[in-house]
Structures are given as C-alpha cells and as structure tokens.
Amino acid sequence: MAALGLFSAAWLIIATTGSEGDIWLLVLPALLVAIPVRSTLQQIRVYGATRYALTNRRVLFFRIEGDETRVKAHPHSAICAPDVINTFPPSVSFLRYGKDPKSTLGFEYIKNSEILVHHLEQREEW
C-alpha cells in the first residue's frame, strides 16, 4: 500500500508539474518498499511449493518446481525433542545435527502441529 501510494503521488506530481520536479524523492522510497514486497511474495511461493513427510525411517522435504521435484532426506537419528515455534500456523523444529540448539530444522507453518508433535513424542516406539 505504501509503494502504491508513493507511486500515485509521483504520478500526480508528474501530471501537475511536469517531469521536472523532485519526483525521485517519491519514486526511490517507493522502490525501496516494493523490493521487500517482491521477496516476500517469492518466499510465499516457496512455502507453497514445499511439502513434508515424516516416516519411521526418515524425514523428507519435497520442493516442487515446475516439472521437477527436489527431495531432501534426513535420517531418523537426527530427530530431537520437538520445539513448537509461535508462527501462524505453528512451525515445529525437531531435527538437530550436533549439539548446537540453533542449528535445528523442522516443518514450517504446519496446520496440524499438535498431531505432528504427538507423533514425534512417540518416536521411541518406532
């Protein structure tokens, strides 16, 4: 909305005073607002193209890109105690390599995170 407002103000200045104004004072901030919006939209597309699977042998991350699907598998031994991250919907971090607590991985924006956490807590039975 901010970028649209700045572009509209720039158009209004050009229409009323011609192109000889301080138009760049409006266009440059509008571009600085539009760049993060573009990257956010790209990130939303990546989240929409990502699928996850949890089996009794490994954790799989699928990324669908056109006609191609990329799969990344993590061994069952990398699963650690689940940590629910307060996002909407919640994300669950449950893979760790090494001892560093900051190097955890998991599933992002999982609608049924409580079911996933229940399965992860039962992993000793696998």
Side-chain angles (χ1 to χ4, degrees):
M1 292 298 284
L4 183 60
L6 289 170
F7 279 127
S8 298
W11 178 81
L12 182 63
I13 288 173
I14 288 174
T16 58
T17 64
S19 61
E20 298 178 13
D22 293 329
I23 193 68
W24 292 107
L25 294 175
L26 295 172
V27 173
L28 185 60
L31 290 174
L32 293 176
V33 170
I35 290 170
V37 168
R38 181 183 171 272
S39 65
T40 301
L41 291 175
Q42 183 179 5
Q43 190 174 17
I44 289 172
R45 273 194 301 271
V46 168
Y47 287 144
T50 304
R51 304 290 183 265
Y52 309 105
L54 179 63
T55 72
N56 61 348
R57 294 186 182 221
R58 61 184 65 109
V59 178
L60 303 170
F61 291 73
F62 297 92
R63 185 160 176 210
I64 303 163
E65 297 175 345
D67 295 338
E68 185 177 307
T69 301
R70 296 181 180 184
V71 179
K72 185 171 186 177
H74 298 276
H76 186 264
S77 60
I79 295 178
C80 63
D83 180 27
V84 178
I85 302 167
N86 190 18
T87 57
F88 183 75
S91 300
V92 180
S93 190
F94 62 93
L95 293 170
R96 181 177 297 133
Y97 291 97
K99 305 238 183 228
D100 185 13
K102 293 181 181 177
S103 66
T104 57
L105 299 169
F107 297 163
E108 297 175 322
Y109 307 104
I110 301 299
K111 290 182 183 176
N112 295 321
S113 61
E114 62 279 347
I115 295 171
L116 174 64
V117 170
H118 173 72
H119 285 296
L120 290 169
E121 290 171 346
Q122 304 299 322
R123 72 185 187 283
E124 289 82 21
E125 297 174 9
W126 297 352

